[in-house]
């Protein structure tokens, strides 16, 4: 009895040890980013390595703000991600609810067809979509970047999963009261789907905020670019200034990281729900 | 209400935005890509010229395209195995932890939040040969420095590690959610029979987790085969052609050299590869599952 207790104790300690080492390994590049971003130029190349700046400074951020129109870039990123989010939540709720609650052969087939597009990666569509957008004068515009993101299959799938859990009796009760189907969607289903909407909102925001290939080909002028797209150009400069570069990485990561830390229970549920099944 | 619309019709009406999206941003571009691949086209200002299968002939005799294809497979193999099995291992450990589970999960997921640009910037700095973090750590440990992404033999592997780092958290969350749905009774029964922890893992956890493993393998494979941002940010295909992947070469062909038709041919080639591999993976795991039960 005693021996088995010791063994299980040792296993417990080992478990936490492995997991903690794993976490530290995963976090080290982030810590290094933070350390570099707040270090003055002279300290950056010093040995031994230190994760704590001796004399922390905002110099790198100032330099970054001199190189880029930061407020404009933040606005672009927030605007593009924001509009895409709202539109995506609205339409995904509508479609997902329709697929979940009006079961018929036709709708099932539509669902399967929609789902099949998960196997079609973005880059198979990027050339034709880009050429089409150029013809429609949509390149280098906000709407050109946003319109492709007005809805996503992931969103439809997520909302459908949640909508299936809405009790049929609630909807029938509203129908008996004479409510029209759009009113039932807006006034009965939508409030019940609010947690799902938050989930989709957060995941979609992170997705569009970090989206790379599509805005990269679409946005040419610096004043139209999203934050990551503008900063991806920093690399190509002759002399790479790692300080401002890390400050830039911090600027990209912090908004989404904060969003994630506050709303992570929604994200985790959303991923767990759509990740399989 | 003027015209009464039947209930079933409302279902179809609600679905319209989805069908529209599918038509405009899925079917139409796919169709257009096929048409494009049969044309030589140097961008919107010029006229496309019908060339039949010439674009495909051209890419299949191009040594850089061949290199990129081989690189893509190698990259995918490394990235997918690293991501999937590390995540499975961590998720299994996390099922045994109750108190700190949520905190660990948060930390593991953090890299997935960062996005490919930030990740690329951070890792370029870590891999930097003279002042980068990794070589400094090696220095502290009195080990010889490496050139990481500047070393042609190592570069692709480094890019794969970066992708695995980024994708790990998502995989952990999906695995963990799946593993936690395995009913506790299975394990209780096994304990009564005197099965060790290792036996429980082999005979309960892994077989029951097979659908999730299949799903994530397929998902990660698609992700690996289409790797673009990591290459763009870390190496731009270099040194030499060491880290060219099909998606990166496609981007360069279409958007740097304006060869829209040739780029589309590459995109379609990769799409077919993805389709074939996905079907093989599905078939393989389905059959194994049927034997299991």
């Amino acid at each position: 009895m005693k021996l088995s207790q010791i063994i299980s104790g040792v296993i417990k300690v080992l478990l936490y040890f492995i997991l903690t080492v794993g976490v530290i390994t995963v976090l080290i590049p982030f810590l290094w980013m933070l350390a570099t971003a707040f270090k003055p130029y002279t300290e950056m190349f010093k040995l031994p390595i230190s994760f704590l700046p001796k004399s922390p400074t905002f110099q790198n951020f100032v330099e970054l703000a001199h190189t880029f129109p930061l407020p404009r870039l933040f606005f672009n990123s927030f605007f593009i991600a924001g509009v895409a989010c709202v539109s995506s939540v609205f339409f995904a709720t509508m479609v997902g609810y329709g697929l979940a609650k009006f079961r018929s052969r036709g709708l099932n087939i539509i669902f399967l067809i929609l789902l099949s597009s998960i196997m079609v990666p973005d880059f198979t569509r990027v050339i034709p979509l880009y050429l089409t957008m150029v013809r429609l004068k949509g390149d280098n515009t906000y709407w050109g970047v946003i319109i492709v993101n007005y809805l996503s299959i992931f969103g439809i799938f997520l909302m459908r999963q949640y909508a299936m859990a809405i009790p049929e009796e609630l909807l029938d009760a509203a129908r008996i009261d004479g409510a029209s189907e759009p009113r039932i969607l807006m006034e009965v289903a939508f409030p019940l789907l609010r947690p799902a909407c938050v989930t989709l909102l957060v995941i979609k925001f992170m997705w569009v905020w970090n989206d790379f290939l599509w805005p990269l080909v679409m946005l040419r002028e610096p004043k139209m670019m999203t934050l990551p797209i503008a900063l991806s150009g920093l690399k190509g400069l002759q002399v790479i200034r790692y300080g401002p570069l890390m400050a830039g990485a911090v600027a990209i990561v912090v908004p989404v990281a904060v969003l994630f830390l506050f709303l992570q229970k929604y994200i985790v549920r959303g991923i767990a729900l759509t990740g399989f099944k | 209400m003027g015209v009464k619309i039947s209930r079933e019709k409302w279902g179809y009406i609600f679905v319209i935005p989805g069908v529209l999206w599918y038509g405009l941003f899925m079917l139409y571009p796919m169709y257009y890509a096929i048409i494009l691949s049969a044309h030589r086209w140097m961008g919107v200002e010029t006229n496309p010229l019908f060339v039949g299968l010439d674009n495909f002939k051209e890419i299949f005799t191009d040594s850089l395209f061949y290199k990129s294809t081989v690189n893509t497979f190698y990259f995918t193999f490394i990235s997918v195995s690293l991501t999937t099995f590390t995540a499975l291992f961590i998720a299994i450990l996390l099922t045994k932890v109750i108190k700190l589970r949520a905190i660990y999960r948060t930390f593991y997921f953090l890299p997935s939040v960062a996005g490919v640009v930030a990740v690329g910037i951070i890792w370029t700095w870590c891999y930097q040969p003279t002042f980068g973090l990794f070589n400094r750590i090696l220095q502290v440990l009195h080990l010889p420095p490496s050139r990481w992404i500047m070393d042609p033999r190592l570069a692709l592997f480094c890019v794969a590690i970066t992708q695995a780092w980024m994708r790990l958290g998502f995989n952990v969350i999906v695995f963990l959610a799946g593993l936690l749905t395995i009913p506790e009774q299975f394990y209780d029964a096994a304990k009564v029979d005197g099965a060790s922890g290792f036996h429980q893992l082999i005979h309960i956890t892994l077989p029951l987790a097979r659908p999730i493993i299949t799903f994530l393998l397929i998902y990660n494979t698609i992700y690996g085969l289409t790797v673009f941002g990591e290459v763009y940010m870390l190496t731009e295909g270099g040194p030499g052609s060491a880290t060219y992947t099909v998606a990166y070469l496609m981007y360069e062909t279409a958007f740097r050299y304006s060869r829209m038709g040739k780029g589309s041919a590459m995109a379609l080639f990769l799409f077919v590869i993805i389709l074939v591999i996905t079907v093989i993976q599905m078939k393989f795991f389905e059959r194994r599952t049927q034997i299991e039960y």
Side-chain angles (χ1 to χ4, degrees):
Chain A
M1 202 58 192
K2 254 227 162 122
L3 185 69
S4 72
Q5 269 174 348
I6 293 171
I7 291 174
S8 78
V10 169
I11 290 176
K12 261 262 139 74
V13 171
L14 205 65
L15 201 67
Y16 280 101
F17 179 75
I18 297 173
L19 284 171
T20 309
V21 169
V23 162
I24 293 170
T25 317
V26 165
L27 289 187
I28 273 183
F30 275 129
L31 299 174
W32 193 235
M33 164 191 82
L34 283 173
T36 312
F38 291 101
K39 273 179 189 171
Y41 186 72
T42 46
E43 224 182 283
M44 218 169 286
F45 307 105
K46 273 214 179 106
L47 275 169
I49 38 175
S50 157
F51 281 90
L52 281 177
K54 275 193 204 72
S55 38
T57 169
F58 282 103
Q59 190 52 45
N60 293 318
F61 290 90
V62 173
E63 205 175 309
L64 183 75
H66 281 308
T67 324
F68 291 102
L70 277 188
R72 174 77 193 219
L73 296 179
F74 268 109
F75 171 78
N76 293 347
S77 271
F78 273 109
F79 182 75
I80 288 172
V83 175
C85 277
V86 172
S87 136
S88 182
V89 166
F90 179 79
F91 288 116
T93 309
M94 194 167 143
V95 178
Y97 171 79
L99 290 171
K101 286 298 172 201
F102 297 82
R103 309 187 135 252
S104 71
R105 265 182 79 86
L107 286 173
N108 278 342
I109 292 169
I110 290 176
F111 176 62
L112 287 179
I113 292 173
L114 291 180
L115 206 57
S116 72
S117 62
I118 284 181
M119 282 208 289
V120 183
D122 288 348
F123 80 97
T124 8
R125 300 176 287 135
V126 71
I127 298 174
L129 281 177
Y130 168 75
L131 290 172
T132 310
M133 284 301 168
V134 171
R135 272 210 216 109
L136 299 173
K137 302 257 177 289
D139 58 323
N140 206 30
T141 64
Y142 292 134
W143 73 263
V145 178
I146 293 168
I147 195 160
V148 173
N149 285 308
Y150 90 84
L151 187 58
S152 66
I153 298 303
F154 168 80
I156 294 174
F157 188 52
L158 181 87
M159 296 315 279
R160 178 180 170 272
Q161 294 289 90
Y162 276 98
M164 295 218 286
I166 298 176
E168 209 65 52
E169 299 86 66
L170 275 178
L171 306 177
D172 286 337
R175 278 181 195 121
I176 290 165
D177 289 346
S180 66
E181 293 297 336
R183 257 193 76 187
I184 296 174
L185 168 63
M186 291 313 289
E187 286 170 22
V188 182
F190 197 66
L192 292 170
L193 290 172
R194 208 167 283 157
C197 291
V198 178
T199 303
L200 180 57
L201 209 64
V202 188
I203 293 179
K204 183 84 183 179
F205 186 87
M206 294 189 341
W207 182 266
V208 180
W209 179 274
N210 287 325
D211 197 9
F212 188 54
L213 181 58
W214 182 238
L216 179 72
V217 302
M218 286 288 281
L219 303 170
R220 275 186 320 268
E221 278 180 282
K223 69 173 169 70
M224 296 305 292
M225 285 178 181
T226 61
L227 190 62
I229 299 304
L231 292 179
S232 74
L234 242 189
K235 270 196 68 219
L237 300 181
Q238 286 289 308
V239 184
I240 300 179
R241 304 268 292 150
Y242 285 103
L245 210 50
M246 290 310 120
V250 171
I252 297 173
V253 172
V254 164
V256 270
V258 168
L259 201 67
F260 166 67
L261 290 175
F262 279 104
L263 298 169
Q264 60 165 315
K265 82 166 189 221
Y266 291 99
I267 300 173
V268 171
R269 270 185 61 194
I271 292 176
L273 198 67
T274 49
F276 60 98
K277 247 194 156 164
Chain B
M1 281 256 129
V3 191
K4 187 132 173 62
I5 304 172
S6 80
R7 210 184 131 193
E8 200 193 338
K9 283 216 182 92
W10 272 114
Y12 286 102
I13 292 173
F14 287 153
V15 173
I16 288 173
V19 176
L20 214 59
W21 184 89
Y22 188 84
L24 287 176
F25 300 124
M26 192 61 65
L27 270 190
Y28 166 70
M30 289 299 283
Y31 161 78
Y32 195 5
I34 294 170
I35 301 294
L36 273 172
S37 71
H39 288 79
R40 186 180 305 271
W41 198 13
M42 303 293 286
V44 228
E45 295 84 26
T46 61
N47 284 322
L49 177 77
F50 182 80
V51 292
L53 292 173
D54 276 8
N55 283 321
F56 288 96
K57 276 185 206 145
E58 202 181 322
I59 63 172
F60 289 136
T61 51
D62 179 359
S63 62
L64 184 57
F65 182 75
Y66 176 76
K67 179 88 200 271
S68 306
T69 309
V70 175
N71 281 349
T72 304
F73 283 124
Y74 172 78
F75 174 91
T76 306
F77 178 75
I78 304 284
S79 167
V80 171
S81 20
L82 262 176
T83 313
T84 316
F85 298 111
T86 315
L88 181 60
F89 177 68
I90 292 171
I92 288 171
L93 294 187
L94 281 176
T95 56
K96 310 281 177 213
V97 168
I98 292 158
K99 265 191 216 146
L100 297 174
R101 187 188 289 157
I103 295 172
Y104 278 126
R105 194 178 52 193
T106 305
F107 283 139
Y108 280 115
F109 191 70
L110 219 47
S112 306
V113 171
V116 74
V117 173
V119 168
I121 292 175
I122 297 167
W123 281 73
T124 310
W125 177 219
C126 291
Y127 283 136
Q128 210 273 343
T130 23
F131 303 105
L133 177 68
F134 297 148
N135 270 353
R136 290 204 200 186
I137 292 175
L138 288 181
Q139 203 175 353
V140 171
L141 300 171
H142 296 289
L143 290 167
S146 166
R147 299 198 30 90
W148 308 109
I149 50 175
M150 308 257 189
D151 180 342
R153 284 162 308 162
L154 211 59
L156 197 57
F157 187 77
C158 290
V159 181
I161 296 230
T162 305
Q163 187 181 63
W165 178 76
M166 205 177 144
R167 304 270 311 145
L168 183 72
F170 169 80
N171 279 258
V172 169
I173 289 187
V174 176
F175 269 133
L176 187 60
L179 293 178
L180 290 175
T181 59
I182 297 174
E184 201 59 46
Q185 296 98 287
F186 286 179
Y187 293 107
D188 293 341
K191 274 177 209 153
V192 171
D193 291 345
S196 69
F198 183 70
H199 269 87
Q200 293 175 28
L201 180 70
I202 297 293
H203 295 291
I204 301 175
T205 312
L206 291 182
L208 287 173
R210 180 162 284 157
I212 321 164
I213 299 175
T214 311
F215 166 78
L216 280 175
L217 274 179
I218 291 173
Y219 198 81
N220 292 338
T221 305
I222 295 178
Y223 219 89
L225 288 171
T226 59
V227 59
F228 166 72
E230 291 86 342
V231 175
Y232 183 99
M233 291 304 297
L234 286 171
T235 60
E236 299 193 74
S241 57
T243 55
Y244 264 90
T245 62
V246 176
Y248 184 74
L249 186 63
M250 181 219 83
Y251 169 81
E252 243 192 25
T253 309
F255 296 105
R256 291 229 171 108
Y257 305 119
S258 298
R259 302 273 323 259
M260 298 301 174
K262 196 177 167 190
S264 296
M266 291 178 184
L268 286 175
F269 167 78
L270 195 48
F271 172 65
V272 171
I273 295 278
I274 288 171
L275 215 60
V276 170
I277 291 184
T278 307
V279 170
I280 291 173
Q281 281 176 329
M282 277 174 171
K283 279 265 156 7
F284 179 73
F285 280 95
E286 247 169 39
R287 190 174 310 146
R288 293 276 299 270
T289 314
Q290 277 163 2
I291 292 166
E292 196 67 45
Y293 295 110

